[in-house]
Amino acid sequence: MSARSENRFGSTPMIALGLTPPHLVEDSVLRERLLQRACGEPLPAAHLCLVTAPAGYGKSTFLAQCRQRLQDRGLATAWLTLDEEDNEEGFFFYCLGAAFGQFNPAITGELVERRLTVGEFSGRRLITELLGFLDPSQHYALFLDDYHHIHNPAVHEALRLLLLHLPDNLYLFIGSRSMPPVPLSRYSAAGDLLLLDSGDLGFDREETRALLCDVNHLQVSGEEMALLCESTGGWAAVLQLAALSMQGSADRSRLVSALSANIGSVADFLTEEVVAQMPGTLAGFLRRIAILDRFCASLCLAVTGDREHSFELARLQDSRLPVQSLDESGDWYRLHPLFRNALQRQPESVRAEELVELHRRASAWFEKHGLMAEAIQHSISAGDEGRALELLDEEGISLLVQGYVSRFLGLVRRLPESLLRESRGTLIQLAWLQVLCNRLPQARRLLEELKSRRYSLEPAQWVEVNCIEANLYAYDDQLDKAAQLTDTWLPRCPREPVYLRDCFRLLPGMLHYVRREYAQVLEIAREVLAAPTVPKQVYNQAWAACLAALVYLAGARLKEGIGYVEQQLENILRHVMPNSEGVALLESMTGILCYQRGELQRAETLFQRGLEALRIYATVDMVIGVLSARARLLHGAGDTQGALDYLDEMQSLAEERGWTRLRACVVHERVRLLLALGELGRARACFDEWQHHGEPLPPPSGYTQANIEEWIGVAKVRLILAEGDAVKAAHLLKALIGESIENGQVLRAMELQVLLAKTYLSENKPDQAKQALMDALALDPESGVIQLFRDEGEEVIAALTALRQDLGFSAGPEQRELWQQQIDTIITPVQTDGETKVDLAGELTKMELAILALVVEGYSNKEISESLCVSTNAVKTHLKSAYGKLGVSRRTQAVRRLLQLGIFE
């Protein structure tokens, strides 16, 4: 079990457990030869120290000694022990923030949680934000122990980013049973990497002597010492077991000789010797708690009924038994894995019938304390599959409707598939899970199985099966079929379960959206959101808010949309934690609105938080909404390859799921990006590939075809304009603008108007270009659309600058003032209040300033790379960071901004 599970985002001792290094017993063997290598004098020998070895080699104890040594020298230290739950990305980032809170009291756990909750920065950006809290005049050491528990690529990526941005005054120590899958070449090449493995960690003769003689007070001959070193390989945990065995052995020479003959099972052999010398009650107690990963007094008492030993766990550790304390308060412990596994393998271990009862008691304790994953696991181990299914039925749907889809998946994986199919309720939950994860073939098979059991289902369950099928059609982009099922089954929907009715009601809203019937969408969304928020309605309300966000985007009502969606998000977060997938999807939709408002850093933060959820759990319209904004954001920040890679990823996703509308959107964005790069031939080839092979046969009807034609139509116009036929492009654009305005697609109509202005500019018709831009501004209901204009390039910016001078002749005073403010925002990146040249220069790093100085001089990324002796990827990374600080999205805007501020005067 995870010792931090009870209150995942609270400041209880359960959270503090992972932040506490192992307790160092006063007379433990000091690993001085290794401490000198790792800790150096006065600072650590390397910025990255990796300690890798199997269980029992003393990794955690050695790292705790390193921490103590560095702390005594005045370094600030922080500790984080990882476990399986840290594979949940949001939880890992929270715990990392809490670890950094040990460096700076300003970084409290509550502060990190609050910032994550309101989307102030994403988990990945959190790393750089936390590094910014470090005092440049202070040195720090961060210890990450038990990293072998991590298998989530997102957490590995977080470690990679931490290593990438590791400052000179921060030293990182990592303990693991295996090598973390992160690039080490940078540190290795610089001689800044220290690797310690089992060969280094094994006790040498002097350390073995200290353990046996000084710590365990044994008299050991030179021959015995040599035999022990040879047979154990300096394995610390095994040596301690040997010492315990020798203390009670009447014939030590026989023991040592037997040990040499049992090299292959030395831990089992020594465990038998140690247990044989214990009082019977203690041996029985240890065998019983060996079923537990971690334990506290109340858990031990509940499982064993042994009050004497349950409340003397600290004494067990003090007696040198392989019992390890997990916190400074002495509440939580574990048996050393070698000792625990050996106990479980002993022939005289707990009888089978008693073992069942122990697991049953453990399950009951975990259930009482809200730790359902462990409760289910122990129910399975007890052979009580029925109870395991009951727990899953009780917990599973609650997790799903609150948006904890990945957590539910973790529970499901603990149960065999054959068992899962025995419960109708569990089958229904599994069908929901497969639909919400976009695993539609698996969902179809489960639905067929449920339909075959039609007459064994309760009436409410049968309605729910049809609701699942309707949602399957929605995820499969067959919204007309989803709406048809809704028409049939919504009138029959019972009051319970409470989430079912709104789940049905949202499906017609999705169909209204793709038909451009935006008023009906908002009506449905607001009805769902008007109901009191309860945990079982969270996912529905998150979806309703996502639909509303897309409508506000289409209508260019960005400010109103952001305010409305943030209000809904705040309400939802009163009932769920930020790691709900519903929250992540809603933050992605907020990111689109922020992007068009020109709030690029905030948009990137929100996108980063929701990328994984968007890829797995979103419908096609959500993905389309984010795709164009994110691709443009990456390109504008100078990461052109990243933008192309992202489009490739979305292309693969569209093909995998048969989302033709997404494929059409990818074609448009790829054509647009290639044209911006001046690669007309590749853009034309991309478009022709769609024309010849990409269009679905037979052509889809209704909303699907209309949506495809919108994207492909604009891509075609962009190509025609780039190929020099401005007259034809203008003719097509005017028709598209009329259709967009008629459909209420204000933002699209504005984009088309800006494209029309570009056609006039290409024909040297500045007055008509100004009029097209004014028409675009006139469409904006809030005068708040910013990024759409910036994304079309410098010629549009120049035309807007000229237009600003002429507004006095074209609009009334009030409208003129609004447009002037909007144009000022578009052509000049937003400045913070009181910002000065000195303030901004102070925010930029030395490398960023050096790169920007060459950018102003007109150097290319390759030339900058050669001039500063850094890689082109490093140049791109620094530029992206600098652009964010300058509030710009591309190179030309950065140059203009720098010249305005006079930083390089």
Side-chain angles (χ1 to χ4, degrees):
M1 110 181 195
S2 168
R4 285 172 277 152
S5 300
E6 252 184 355
N7 190 338
R8 295 168 57 89
F9 286 80
S11 55
T12 68
M14 304 297 282
I15 291 289
L17 202 58
L19 305 176
T20 305
H23 176 67
L24 289 174
V25 180
E26 186 175 346
D27 59 352
S28 59
V29 176
L30 195 64
R31 311 300 304 276
E32 187 61 40
R33 63 182 176 86
L34 297 179
L35 288 168
Q36 290 179 9
R37 290 179 63 186
C39 297
E41 184 66 44
L43 295 173
H47 276 87
L48 175 59
C49 176
L50 276 176
V51 182
T52 60
Y57 271 90
K59 299 182 296 296
S60 298
T61 299
F62 168 63
L63 288 175
Q65 290 181 356
C66 288
R67 171 187 170 275
Q68 188 64 55
R69 175 69 58 89
L70 296 175
Q71 189 169 280
D72 290 345
R73 290 183 187 165
L75 273 75
T77 65
W79 184 280
L80 178 59
T81 299
L82 302 167
D83 62 20
E84 280 292 328
E85 288 213 354
D86 290 292
N87 283 289
E88 190 174 321
E89 189 178 359
F91 187 49
F92 168 79
F93 283 127
Y94 172 73
C95 290
L96 184 66
F100 269 81
Q102 299 173 75
F103 290 145
N104 187 336
I107 315 173
T108 63
E110 293 77 10
L111 172 65
V112 173
E113 178 183 348
R114 186 165 63 251
R115 290 188 175 180
L116 285 172
T117 298
V118 300
E120 202 168 309
F121 44 74
S122 69
R124 290 177 178 84
R125 190 172 296 277
L126 174 60
I127 291 174
T128 54
E129 294 286 342
L130 291 175
L131 293 174
F133 276 93
L134 302 184
D135 183 351
S137 64
Q138 170 72 48
H139 288 91
Y140 302 87
L142 173 64
F143 293 81
L144 300 179
D145 197 19
D146 286 353
Y147 193 85
H148 52 269
H149 287 299
I150 300 302
H151 49 75
N152 184 349
V155 179
H156 293 320
E157 174 65 10
L159 177 59
R160 188 192 70 79
L161 290 173
L162 179 59
L163 289 171
L164 180 65
H165 298 289
L166 201 67
D168 290 341
N169 62 333
L170 175 60
Y171 299 86
L172 181 61
F173 292 75
I174 300 175
S176 178
R177 294 181 190 173
S178 57
M179 188 67 72
V182 293
L184 304 175
S185 55
R186 170 188 168 192
Y187 288 91
S188 180
D192 211 10
L193 170 66
L194 176 63
L195 292 175
L196 299 175
D197 58 18
S198 56
D200 301 296
L201 289 170
F203 274 36
D204 63 13
R205 290 286 292 271
E206 174 55 30
E207 290 166 333
T208 301
R209 186 208 62 76
L211 177 65
L212 297 176
C213 302
D214 299 343
V215 176
N216 287 282
H217 309 295
L218 292 169
Q219 296 298 320
V220 183
S221 68
E223 182 182 358
E224 289 174 334
M225 189 85 67
L227 280 171
L228 284 171
C229 282
E230 181 182 353
S231 60
T232 64
W235 201 341
V238 175
L239 281 170
Q240 178 59 30
L241 285 172
L244 291 171
S245 300
M246 293 169 72
Q247 285 176 349
S249 175
D251 187 355
R252 285 218 324 239
S253 60
R254 178 203 65 80
L255 175 67
V256 174
S257 299
L259 180 60
S260 300
N262 285 274
I263 296 174
S265 56
V266 64
D268 286 5
F269 170 74
L270 289 173
T271 298
E272 290 179 14
E273 293 289 328
V274 171
V275 172
Q277 300 165 21
M278 291 178 181
T281 55
L282 176 57
F285 174 77
L286 292 174
R287 291 190 181 108
R288 288 171 177 82
I289 64 172
I291 70 166
L292 304 169
D293 292 330
R294 304 182 189 188
F295 47 83
C296 61
S298 66
L299 174 56
C300 289
L301 180 62
V303 170
T304 67
D306 186 337
R307 179 173 293 275
E308 175 189 357
H309 293 109
S310 294
F311 288 95
E312 292 191 0
L313 299 177
R315 185 176 63 80
L316 297 181
Q317 184 186 33
D318 292 341
S319 65
R320 291 290 174 185
L321 284 171
V323 177
Q324 300 172 320
S325 174
L326 297 177
D327 58 7
E328 292 180 349
S329 60
D331 292 329
W332 284 91
Y333 296 83
R334 70 171 183 175
L335 294 176
H336 192 284
L338 285 174
F339 185 60
R340 180 188 174 206
N341 293 338
L343 281 173
Q344 292 175 321
R345 286 193 295 267
Q346 285 188 346
E348 65 273 24
S349 192
V350 183
R351 301 187 314 275
E353 58 270 21
E354 184 182 1
L355 193 63
V356 168
E357 178 62 19
L358 295 175
H359 280 296
R360 188 191 64 76
R361 294 173 185 173
S363 177
W365 189 93
F366 284 119
E367 180 185 354
K368 178 181 177 181
H369 290 80
L371 304 173
M372 304 307 293
E374 290 80 4
I376 289 173
Q377 186 61 61
H378 281 286
S379 287
I380 295 170
S381 299
D384 193 352
E385 297 176 344
R387 182 56 187 153
L389 281 178
E390 288 177 9
L391 290 171
L392 186 62
D393 282 347
E394 294 169 8
E395 179 74 1
I397 200 63
S398 175
L399 290 175
L400 284 175
V401 296
Q402 292 180 68
Y404 297 120
V405 183
S406 59
R407 284 184 61 188
F408 177 70
L409 184 60
L411 292 179
V412 167
R413 286 173 175 164
R414 294 172 181 261
L415 295 168
E417 186 175 352
S418 58
L419 176 61
L420 293 169
R421 294 181 180 276
E422 293 182 8
S423 164
R424 297 187 302 270
T426 303
L427 270 180
I428 289 173
Q429 292 182 25
L430 289 177
W432 271 122
L433 176 66
Q434 301 297 358
V435 169
L436 295 178
C437 291
N438 265 297
R439 299 171 179 171
L440 303 190
Q442 298 91 322
R444 289 188 181 94
R445 288 195 291 271
L446 287 169
L447 285 171
E448 287 303 315
E449 185 169 347
L450 284 164
K451 289 179 180 179
S452 71
R453 304 186 186 188
R454 162 71 178 90
Y455 296 104
S456 66
L457 297 176
E458 299 291 335
Q461 289 179 320
W462 181 238
V463 174
E464 187 161 6
V465 167
N466 284 276
C467 186
I468 297 170
E469 185 170 28
N471 276 269
L472 184 151
Y473 283 127
Y475 274 87
D476 201 28
D477 202 18
Q478 299 184 61
L479 292 170
D480 44 359
K481 291 186 177 180
Q484 289 169 11
L485 274 175
T486 298
D487 290 341
T488 301
W489 289 99
L490 180 57
R492 311 182 198 181
C493 192
R495 291 180 177 271
E496 293 289 340
V498 66
Y499 56 83
L500 208 53
R501 181 172 293 275
D502 282 344
C503 195
F504 267 125
R505 294 167 68 193
L506 286 169
L507 297 175
M510 296 167 68
L511 181 59
H512 287 309
Y513 173 76
V514 297
R515 287 177 173 171
R516 313 310 182 200
E517 297 164 351
Y518 297 133
Q520 292 94 319
V521 180
L522 281 182
E523 181 181 355
I524 291 171
R526 285 170 175 165
E527 286 177 1
V528 172
L529 290 165
T533 301
V534 295
K536 287 193 175 183
Q537 283 284 52
V538 162
Y539 208 51
N540 279 335
Q541 294 193 330
W543 271 70
C546 285
L547 277 176
L550 290 172
V551 171
Y552 283 120
L553 178 72
R557 294 154 61 190
L558 308 178
K559 184 177 180 181
E560 181 184 357
I562 290 172
Y564 184 77
V565 173
E566 285 182 339
Q567 179 184 353
Q568 304 309 322
L569 185 59
E570 181 181 351
N571 183 45
I572 287 170
L573 284 166
R574 295 192 182 102
H575 301 274
V576 296
M577 294 301 175
N579 59 328
S580 164
E581 275 81 21
V583 171
L585 291 175
L586 187 50
E587 286 176 332
S588 293
M589 299 302 101
T590 311
I592 314 171
L593 297 167
C594 291
Y595 176 78
Q596 290 297 347
R597 287 269 298 175
E599 301 172 14
L600 303 187
Q601 284 186 292
R602 187 179 178 201
E604 172 65 8
T605 293
L606 293 167
F607 288 154
Q608 286 288 351
R609 292 194 65 179
L611 280 180
E612 186 68 9
L614 194 78
R615 185 181 64 80
I616 298 174
Y617 309 111
T619 60
V620 62
D621 285 299
M622 294 182 188
V623 177
I624 288 173
V626 171
L627 182 147
S628 59
R630 174 144 177 82
R632 298 178 191 192
L633 181 62
L634 289 169
H635 171 56
D639 190 3
T640 300
Q641 189 57 52
L644 290 169
D645 291 344
Y646 178 63
L647 291 174
D648 287 341
E649 179 187 343
M650 292 298 100
Q651 174 77 17
S652 298
L653 187 69
E655 292 171 354
E656 173 190 329
R657 295 183 181 165
W659 285 349
T660 310
R661 292 195 290 135
L662 178 58
R663 287 170 58 205
C665 177
V666 170
V667 169
H668 171 266
E669 290 304 318
R670 197 186 299 278
V671 166
R672 182 190 175 282
L673 176 55
L674 291 172
L675 291 176
L677 296 173
E679 299 192 27
L680 175 58
R682 288 180 64 190
R684 168 53 70 182
C686 170
F687 187 81
D688 290 345
E689 173 69 18
W690 164 270
Q691 296 283 72
H692 296 142
H693 305 291
E695 286 192 273
L697 294 174
S701 58
Y703 67 85
T704 300
Q705 184 62 28
N707 280 203
I708 292 171
E709 289 174 354
E710 287 176 5
W711 289 110
I712 298 303
V714 180
K716 180 180 179 180
V717 167
R718 288 184 182 275
L719 276 170
I720 291 172
L721 177 59
E723 290 169 342
D725 194 345
V727 174
K728 183 176 181 181
H731 175 74
L732 292 172
L733 279 169
K734 290 174 183 177
L736 291 171
I737 290 168
E739 292 173 8
S740 298
I741 293 174
E742 184 179 351
N743 292 333
Q745 296 171 275
V746 178
L747 194 70
R748 180 176 288 274
M750 291 179 65
E751 181 175 357
L752 296 172
Q753 285 284 7
V754 175
L755 270 178
L756 183 60
K758 291 179 73 173
T759 66
Y760 291 137
L761 290 171
S762 71
E763 295 181 286
N764 197 25
K765 298 178 179 178
D767 291 339
Q768 288 171 283
K770 289 179 183 178
Q771 184 60 53
L773 289 173
M774 273 203 302
D775 290 342
L777 293 170
L779 287 170
D780 189 347
E782 298 177 341
S783 296
V785 176
I786 303 299
Q787 199 60 33
L788 181 151
F789 295 92
R790 292 175 177 171
D791 285 343
E792 293 302 333
E794 289 303 308
E795 57 184 336
V796 170
I797 299 297
L800 281 169
T801 304
L803 173 62
R804 190 187 186 285
Q805 309 303 319
D806 299 338
L807 284 176
F809 306 103
S810 309
E814 184 176 347
Q815 186 63 67
R816 181 173 65 250
E817 183 178 356
L818 287 174
W819 284 356
Q820 284 177 338
Q821 291 174 356
Q822 185 174 5
I823 292 172
D824 285 343
T825 304
I826 293 167
I827 65 177
T828 303
V830 178
Q831 301 182 23
T832 58
D833 292 340
E835 180 183 77
T836 66
K837 163 187 169 180
V838 175
D839 294 334
L840 189 53
E843 292 178 12
L844 295 165
T845 66
K846 291 181 180 179
M847 180 58 75
E848 288 168 356
L849 285 167
I851 291 173
L852 289 172
L854 296 178
V855 167
V856 172
E857 295 297 322
Y859 281 53
S860 67
N861 284 356
K862 184 178 180 181
E863 290 169 333
I864 295 172
S865 169
E866 294 170 350
S867 176
L868 297 179
C869 299
V870 296
S871 70
T872 54
N873 284 335
V875 172
K876 292 177 182 178
T877 299
H878 288 295
L879 279 176
K880 185 175 181 180
S881 172
Y883 288 170
K885 295 173 183 178
L886 291 167
V888 302
S889 63
R890 62 184 71 235
R891 181 180 291 252
T892 51
Q893 293 173 344
V895 172
R896 186 169 61 248
R897 176 74 162 138
L898 292 165
L899 294 175
Q900 288 170 346
L901 293 170
I903 287 179
F904 295 117
E905 289 179 352

